[in-house]
Amino acid sequence: MNEENYLRKKMVQALQTERSMLEEGRLLEALDARYEYRRSRQQLLQLWGDRRNEMQTAM
């Protein structure tokens, strides 16, 4: 659960960074932040998938 919370926090921070970079007109930094969000989201989905597979094999 700790890893999930860490990834969620990372996603929120990336979205906040993206928004502020867009407001400042720093488009490349905004794209970097969006990439960080997507990478964290993918890691979270993978973590959920791994846990789902573990639960199915335990049954």
Side-chain angles (χ1 to χ4, degrees):
M1 201 53 107
N2 271 343
E3 190 173 356
E4 286 181 24
N5 289 338
Y6 170 74
L7 290 170
R8 286 184 182 118
K9 183 178 177 182
K10 205 170 163 184
M11 289 168 63
V12 168
Q13 288 174 340
L15 289 175
Q16 290 171 343
T17 300
E18 180 191 25
R19 181 179 299 155
S20 67
M21 293 296 116
L22 287 172
E23 289 172 357
E24 295 173 18
R26 297 167 61 184
L27 301 181
L28 290 178
E29 289 90 344
L31 284 174
D32 288 342
R34 175 56 65 153
Y35 170 76
E36 186 65 33
Y37 167 80
R38 289 184 178 185
R39 191 173 76 182
S40 298
R41 184 176 184 271
Q42 188 62 36
Q43 289 173 343
L44 184 60
L45 291 173
Q46 184 178 14
L47 181 64
W48 286 345
D50 292 346
R51 289 198 177 154
R52 182 176 172 208
N53 291 338
E54 288 174 7
M55 290 177 66
Q56 286 178 349
T57 58
M59 290 182 179

